Amino acid sequence: MEHWLPFFHARLETLFDYLPNAPIVLDEQIPAQQAARWDSISEQYQTRMEALKDRARLDTIYKPVSPDGLYLDAPAWEAALSAHPVRHLSQLPQPSGPGVIDAGG
């Protein structure tokens, strides 16, 4: 039922709301994974919207929630990250310099 919360609440909280000062650590694959998941979510939403338009169906009509009601899109994600210290992990060696720490992992 939680996927219908946007129908009942004007705004949903995110983990960022509960941990306002927490540092964020991101894997190097996050941008690609985020884009792929957003594409999948958008595709599923469009499929459900098409099914909703098909009034000849006899099964239950599912009313989908817009993806931006449930998830942070790219601009909202960037805005949420901008308020936190963010660290990016990389499995490949990075050139030394300011902001680069080799943890030897």
Side-chain angles (χ1 to χ4, degrees):
M1 298 298 292
E2 65 270 3
H3 58 278
W4 283 322
L5 284 174
F7 291 136
F8 304 102
H9 300 279
R11 180 183 179 279
L12 299 181
E13 287 82 18
T14 69
L15 195 55
F16 296 112
D17 296 312
Y18 291 98
L19 302 169
N21 300 318
I24 307 297
V25 180
L26 300 175
D27 183 277
E28 67 182 345
Q29 297 175 3
I30 289 293
Q33 291 173 346
Q34 182 183 20
R37 288 196 177 122
W38 190 259
D39 289 344
S40 176
I41 290 165
S42 297
E43 209 172 278
Q44 291 174 21
Y45 174 71
Q46 291 304 323
T47 300
R48 289 178 175 144
M49 287 302 291
E50 289 300 318
L52 187 62
K53 293 176 188 174
D54 184 9
R55 299 287 184 200
R57 292 179 52 172
L58 297 176
D59 57 346
T60 304
I61 300 297
Y62 176 85
K63 186 173 182 182
V65 176
S66 173
D68 60 352
L70 287 170
Y71 307 102
L72 297 176
D73 60 8
W77 173 257
E78 291 301 323
L81 288 181
S82 70
H84 295 266
V86 179
R87 303 295 180 257
H88 297 273
L89 300 178
S90 175
Q91 57 187 342
L92 299 175
Q94 301 295 307
S96 61
V100 176
I101 299 172
D102 184 352

